[in-house]
Amino acid sequence: MRPSIFRFFRCHLRHNSASFSSGASLVSASSSGQNITASHLNGSSSKMYSTSCESEDSSKDRAISDMLIDSFGRLHTYLRISLTERCNLRCHYCMPAEGVELTPSSRLLSQDEIVRLASLFVSSGVNKIRLTGGEPTIRKDIEELCLQLSNLKGLKTLAMTTNGITLGKKLPKLKDAGLNLVNISLDTLVPAKFEFMTRRKGHERVMESIDAAVKLGYDPVKVNCVVMRGFNDDEICDFVELTRKRPINVRFIEFMPFDGNVWNVKKLVPYAELLDKVGEKFTGLQRIQDHPTETAKNFRIDGHQGSVSFITSMTEHFCAGCNRLRLLADGNFKVCLFGPSEVSLRDPIRLGEGDDKLREIIGAAVKRKKASHAGMFDIAKTPNRPMIHIGG
């Protein structure tokens, strides 16, 4: 596909998908009893989704490999790499109560294998890598790994999603190693509830990690909060207060189904309801113009240094602009978070295959990616891995 045709198709697809998704989601929310008001649209439906094309500069920087373009014209420039299946917390929505069977260490990707695959993706057009887990900071080689990845020519952003338990002490060296974006998971501001949710102590250390990230100049410091009815939905406005005087971006995430997390739609607090709660308490809530590939719906609040976002995977999916791929700790490659399909990249590496064969395998998997994931009730019935295996 020629670049000019690709750019036109990508823009056209996003424009029409955005219009359809916006209308469909409003009808769905209305029919389910959600109170959708003009305040949700901030006075203009055009602010619900950005329909502008990506800058053409990215494709001029270096050649974009066809391996990253799916059959719907979506260009995948964002790779999430799970570094480990191990974690120092046991969060209810991530890990079953009985725990998970861990992959033997010999079957996990080595540092060299991770760097090789990352280099292959970046040389093909990926410009953002996010390190996940498990808990990525428990890897002993995390600083060296960050240094190697950040030095890949063409990589613009090296990010990490972490639970923050050990981040505070390691963050200065990680920043020096090239980590330039950090997301810290925190689902409650109440220590006792934190211990219940994570089955571990450590709330104070997570708060200290957020403080450390702010002091080190990360802007924004992203705080991920999975909202569950009856557990932390009464803390929404308390989380928003974190954004008043500091460059914190609080990201409210709809509760999603994965194997073993006992998902129930009654626990789901939909975006429309979350937005109502924030809008009732805080004046001057304004929608930010989002990039076409943005997963979140982003808002600023008058007088707040930080911002608030909503990740609406269940009630208003953003599949039309998806640019994300996933590399799991065991070397399996996954093109959709909610899709069960995986293909091993570890095995061909260990069989001595070259980069051309790896590109062929990756490209074929990307071409098989569907237009969108299934609805939340179908996802709940579809076999998939626990979140700790997939990577947050």
Side-chain angles (χ1 to χ4, degrees):
M1 187 180 293
R2 289 178 296 175
S4 59
I5 297 175
F6 164 62
R7 285 193 292 271
F8 168 78
F9 181 70
R10 177 148 47 97
C11 178
H12 182 72
L13 172 68
R14 284 181 178 142
H15 178 82
N16 287 294
S17 298
S19 301
F20 173 79
S21 297
S22 177
S25 60
L26 289 176
V27 170
S28 176
S30 176
S31 64
S32 63
Q34 296 298 331
N35 181 25
I36 305 297
T37 67
S39 64
H40 289 134
L41 304 181
N42 198 26
S44 171
S45 60
S46 66
K47 293 184 179 180
M48 289 296 290
Y49 290 85
S50 169
T51 56
S52 60
C53 286
E54 279 186 52
S55 167
E56 297 182 13
D57 292 342
S58 60
S59 62
K60 292 177 181 177
D61 289 343
R62 63 193 189 283
I64 300 295
S65 172
D66 180 66
M67 125 185 157
L68 298 178
I69 303 171
D70 68 15
S71 61
F72 301 95
R74 293 173 296 198
L75 172 62
H76 297 77
T77 58
Y78 180 3
L79 177 65
R80 302 175 69 101
I81 303 177
S82 176
L83 299 181
T84 178
E85 297 174 350
R86 297 182 180 275
C87 187
N88 43 14
L89 296 180
R90 295 291 183 271
C91 299
H92 285 254
Y93 58 79
C94 187
M95 183 183 292
E98 65 276 14
V100 296
E101 183 177 349
L102 298 174
T103 303
S105 58
S106 62
R107 296 185 61 79
L108 298 176
L109 291 178
S110 68
Q111 181 185 124
D112 288 344
E113 290 169 334
I114 292 170
V115 173
R116 177 185 172 184
L117 287 170
S119 179
L120 180 65
F121 277 99
V122 172
S123 67
S124 300
V126 163
N127 57 38
K128 179 177 180 178
I129 289 177
R130 177 175 296 279
L131 305 177
T132 70
E135 173 49 40
T137 62
I138 68 175
R139 276 189 69 126
K140 295 179 180 179
D141 63 349
I142 186 63
E143 289 93 353
E144 173 61 25
L145 191 50
C146 283
L147 184 61
Q148 291 195 50
L149 294 175
S150 67
N151 283 327
L152 293 176
K153 185 178 180 181
L155 187 69
K156 297 178 180 178
T157 303
L158 180 62
M160 179 184 289
T161 297
T162 168
N163 60 31
I165 293 293
T166 64
L167 180 70
K169 295 179 180 179
K170 297 186 177 184
L171 195 52
K173 288 185 178 180
L174 289 173
K175 185 177 183 183
D176 289 342
L179 185 71
N180 51 23
L181 183 62
V182 63
N183 289 50
I184 300 173
S185 299
L186 179 66
D187 302 315
T188 178
L189 298 173
V190 181
K193 287 167 70 173
F194 177 91
E195 187 172 343
F196 170 79
M197 170 53 64
T198 66
R199 306 183 181 105
R200 297 290 187 275
K201 297 181 183 294
H203 183 269
E204 184 179 353
R205 280 183 283 170
V206 180
M207 299 302 294
E208 289 172 351
S209 291
I210 294 172
D211 292 340
V214 171
K215 290 176 182 176
L216 284 169
Y218 284 92
D219 185 0
V221 175
K222 297 186 176 184
V223 175
N224 294 348
C225 175
V226 177
V227 183
M228 288 162 283
R229 193 180 304 281
F231 173 70
N232 61 352
D233 55 321
D234 59 336
E235 298 184 62
I236 301 303
C237 293
D238 294 332
F239 270 97
V240 175
E241 282 293 343
L242 295 177
T243 72
R244 188 179 293 275
K245 296 181 179 180
R246 296 190 291 175
I248 291 176
N249 169 228
V250 171
R251 302 164 71 80
F252 295 114
I253 303 171
E254 291 180 336
F255 184 37
M256 297 176 281
F258 293 98
D259 277 14
N261 73 351
V262 197
W263 184 85
N264 188 313
V265 69
K266 294 180 180 178
K267 297 179 183 179
L268 172 67
V269 183
Y271 160 56
E273 183 178 335
L274 292 169
L275 191 59
D276 270 342
K277 287 191 175 187
V278 176
E280 288 171 2
K281 175 70 179 292
F282 300 93
T283 58
L285 186 65
Q286 299 178 349
R287 181 70 187 271
I288 300 171
Q289 182 83 357
D290 297 323
H291 190 276
T293 62
E294 177 62 74
T295 59
K297 296 171 176 60
N298 301 293
F299 292 80
R300 294 198 184 282
I301 301 174
D302 286 349
H304 285 229
Q305 185 177 348
S307 57
V308 177
S309 303
F310 303 88
I311 298 178
T312 63
S313 305
M314 296 295 94
T315 61
E316 293 187 19
H317 73 70
F318 31 82
C319 300
C322 183
N323 69 337
R324 291 153 199 82
L325 302 170
R326 292 173 178 267
L327 179 62
L328 279 55
D330 63 2
N332 275 15
F333 178 58
K334 197 174 178 72
V335 297
C336 177
L337 172 62
F338 300 109
S341 297
E342 300 176 3
V343 60
S344 178
L345 299 182
R346 177 202 63 210
D347 292 349
I349 285 178
R350 295 185 181 180
L351 288 172
E353 298 287 1
D355 286 354
D356 287 346
K357 181 61 176 180
L358 291 172
R359 287 192 182 94
E360 180 184 331
I361 295 170
I362 293 166
V366 171
K367 294 296 186 292
R368 291 193 296 269
K369 185 169 180 175
K370 296 181 179 179
S372 65
H373 63 66
M376 57 185 169
F377 295 106
D378 289 329
I379 292 173
K381 294 183 292 185
T382 302
N384 199 355
R385 297 216 219 180
M387 191 63 184
I388 194 165
H389 275 173
I390 298 172

